[in-house]
Amino acid sequence: MNRVTQQFAFSKRNPDLPIMGAAYAKTDPDIMPFAYGFPAPQAFPIAAFQEASQSALLLEGTRALQYTGGPGQKQVQAWIAQRSPLRGIKPEEDQLIVTTGSMQAFDMVTRVLTDEGDEVWVESPSFFGTIRSFITNGLNIRSFPIDEDGLCVDELESALQKAEQTGGKMPKLLYIMPNYQNPSGATLSFARREKLAKLALRYNFYILEDDAYVDLSFSGEYLPSVYSFAPKRVVYISTFSKIIAPGVRMGWAIADSQVIERMKLFKSDGYTSVFVQEVVGQMLQKMDYTAHMNRINEMYRSRRDVMVTELRRVFGDQIDFQVPDGGFFLWVRFPEGVNTTEMLTHALECGVSFLDGQNFYLEGVDGTRFARLCYTYCDEESIKKGVAALHEAWRRSHSLR
Ligand SMILES: Cc1ncc(COP(=O)(O)O)c(C=O)c1O
């Protein structure tokens, strides 16, 4: 009766992609999880959450638990609007929307700005989470290299010129992470920000500016957003995941009101949780946000330093990497001939996980020498153990060659 006799033709938008990211991370307590792109558990303001949850229920209970609609709760929106000038952004009410994590914003923006078969251009390496959203939306993806100053904008310009001259495909969208890029840690220089904005206006494409890590600046310095140079051609997206907690699933997008209006049409989840917005809103109102961020950044800087020192002590000049001034990751390059995908098997046996470089590149671009190591999640002792395990894994895979 219940036997299935025929294959079902699932949507072609579901490509055959391996599981990645948080779902991929090993949960074995003996494995130091450098693969996790997670905040430190010690970074979560749990007491403030407790108090804010109570206030949200006492003060706004009947509203916070009811169906609702609109762009976002007033307190959260006001907080975002008040902080945005730090990035050179002054959003009006109709230029801002609170989303269920920034991942939802990527998906909505992609659906608003592109059609199946359109071109989206990305950095190489880039964040696989967003790339997946582009793949499931049926886009053609092309990548451009980065260096220590971020995306190589001159190469991008040459490609745009060539496409224009030859009638080639122009991008509808360019996806960038200007601050502490995932995975490389690179920050886009001021001059390149300015030039990118000019290119977007000249060649009429949108920039999707993913600014997830901006407040994790260890020096406390910030460059103006790309949005600030071309507000009509940039969608600026950020998140509470790295500064408060990813479990609240709250992000936001700032863009021209035409774009935000269209994004609302694709927001089919009813609304970003009103209750969670109320809690976060109450918390942001009461907490000393600067002190909170100083505490987190001090912890992360110290963890970064431990990882950098240990890697240098153990590997010497066998590996190289840029030391980022913020964010979550070290992007390590191993010597010629090393394949980090193969090395990962040894690493898991030796007691450490990481994300192998190939995950961050499009097909046909070689990322086999790279590994992304997250320094924020593990405490300092675990980082030391993890680096020792990584060295052992490298030694084992080396001796097998
Ligand atoms: C660059 C970047 N953007 C966005 C996200 C996802 O953020 P959210 O939790 O807001 O969906 C991540 C998470 O790792 C990220 O690294």
Side-chain angles (χ1 to χ4, degrees):
M1 206 40 185
N2 274 331
R3 242 186 30 193
V4 174
T5 54
Q6 296 179 71
Q7 285 274 345
F8 184 80
F10 286 104
S11 161
K12 292 191 185 62
R13 288 193 305 271
N14 300 148
D16 194 12
L17 294 169
I19 297 166
M20 279 294 307
Y24 168 90
K26 300 276 171 197
T27 47
D28 183 337
D30 293 331
I31 292 179
M32 300 306 131
F34 293 171
Y36 286 1
F38 290 6
Q42 302 85 350
F44 300 145
I46 293 195
F49 262 117
Q50 268 176 336
E51 201 184 315
S53 311
Q54 270 207 328
S55 308
L57 287 171
L58 285 173
L59 301 175
E60 296 290 347
T62 51
R63 200 167 55 82
L65 297 172
Q66 188 54 280
Y67 278 124
T68 187
Q73 294 308 97
K74 291 280 178 249
Q75 278 174 358
V76 171
Q77 275 217 334
W79 185 87
I80 296 167
Q82 272 162 23
R83 275 197 79 73
S84 295
L86 285 174
R87 329 279 174 233
I89 305 175
K90 294 196 179 87
E92 299 291 335
E93 212 170 301
D94 59 358
Q95 293 173 332
L96 169 58
I97 185 168
V98 176
T99 56
T100 305
S102 55
M103 299 289 286
Q104 185 188 43
F106 301 146
D107 194 51
M108 284 155 61
V109 170
T110 307
R111 295 209 268 161
V112 165
L113 299 178
T114 65
D115 288 307
E116 209 174 327
D118 278 343
E119 288 271 307
V120 58
W121 290 4
V122 303
E123 298 164 310
S124 183
S126 187
F127 173 46
F128 49 81
T130 318
I131 302 258
R132 273 160 188 257
S133 166
F134 296 149
I135 293 173
T136 50
N137 279 298
L139 301 184
N140 294 328
I141 310 171
R142 180 173 169 186
S143 65
F144 291 83
I146 56 170
D147 61 23
E148 59 279 6
D149 285 332
L151 178 66
C152 297
V153 175
D154 288 345
E155 277 200 38
L156 189 94
E157 184 178 29
S158 304
L160 289 164
Q161 283 167 346
K162 191 162 168 213
E164 191 182 55
Q165 283 157 10
T166 59
K169 275 207 156 185
M170 297 296 262
K172 292 286 287 289
L173 196 58
L174 169 72
Y175 170 59
I176 55 162
M177 289 160 272
N179 293 307
Y180 322 121
Q181 203 246 18
N182 178 1
S184 71
T187 289
L188 192 66
S189 70
F190 184 96
R192 289 185 185 184
R193 287 170 194 241
E194 207 173 14
K195 183 155 183 189
L196 261 189
K198 281 192 184 138
L199 291 176
L201 294 168
R202 158 74 178 80
Y203 291 97
N204 198 26
F205 58 87
Y206 266 90
I207 295 172
L208 179 53
E209 181 175 16
D210 176 4
D211 212 7
Y213 297 99
V214 60
D215 264 352
L216 301 182
S217 160
F218 302 155
S219 64
E221 285 168 13
Y222 309 97
L223 290 172
S225 62
V226 180
Y227 178 101
S228 66
F229 296 106
K232 293 277 183 204
R233 279 294 172 271
V234 181
V235 181
Y236 179 90
I237 289 177
S238 194
T239 178
F240 287 101
S241 289
K242 321 293 172 183
I243 52 179
I244 299 291
V248 301
R249 305 308 305 132
M250 267 171 61
W252 68 91
I254 297 172
D256 189 69
S257 58
Q258 275 192 331
V259 173
I260 297 294
E261 201 51 50
R262 285 172 166 78
M263 282 174 76
K264 287 180 197 159
L265 294 175
F266 287 110
K267 195 153 165 45
S268 54
D269 61 354
Y271 197 62
T272 302
S273 166
V274 198
F275 175 63
V276 176
Q277 285 196 65
E278 274 305 334
V279 172
V280 174
Q282 292 284 338
M283 194 164 80
L284 291 169
Q285 216 180 33
K286 287 193 189 125
M287 84 192 300
D288 182 344
Y289 180 73
T290 307
H292 167 71
M293 284 316 299
N294 286 346
R295 182 178 75 81
I296 295 178
N297 279 329
E298 234 166 77
M299 173 166 49
Y300 290 170
R301 183 180 27 210
S302 173
R303 290 181 181 191
R304 177 205 63 182
D305 289 346
V306 170
M307 189 177 270
V308 166
T309 307
E310 285 302 296
L311 284 170
R312 286 194 175 135
R313 189 178 67 75
V314 169
F315 282 93
D317 57 8
Q318 300 280 1
I319 56 171
D320 57 75
F321 53 86
Q322 186 182 354
V323 180
D325 183 40
F328 273 24
F329 308 112
L330 289 184
W331 182 235
V332 175
R333 192 173 66 159
F334 285 85
E336 193 89 55
V338 171
N339 181 330
T340 53
T341 309
E342 287 165 18
M343 200 171 104
L344 185 57
T345 315
H346 297 291
L348 295 173
E349 285 161 14
C350 295
V352 65
S353 69
F354 58 81
L355 287 189
D356 44 321
Q358 202 55 54
N359 292 302
F360 300 89
Y361 291 94
L362 299 185
E363 233 178 279
V365 187
D366 183 19
T368 47
R369 285 173 66 185
F370 288 92
R372 191 194 77 178
L373 311 182
C374 174
Y375 54 75
T376 51
Y377 181 76
C378 295
D379 62 27
E380 297 183 9
E381 276 318 299
S382 304
I383 290 175
K384 288 181 188 167
K385 277 192 204 157
V387 171
L390 188 67
H391 188 256
E392 177 56 19
W394 176 71
R395 216 184 49 74
R396 284 190 197 176
S397 58
H398 204 58
S399 67
L400 290 177
R401 279 194 287 126

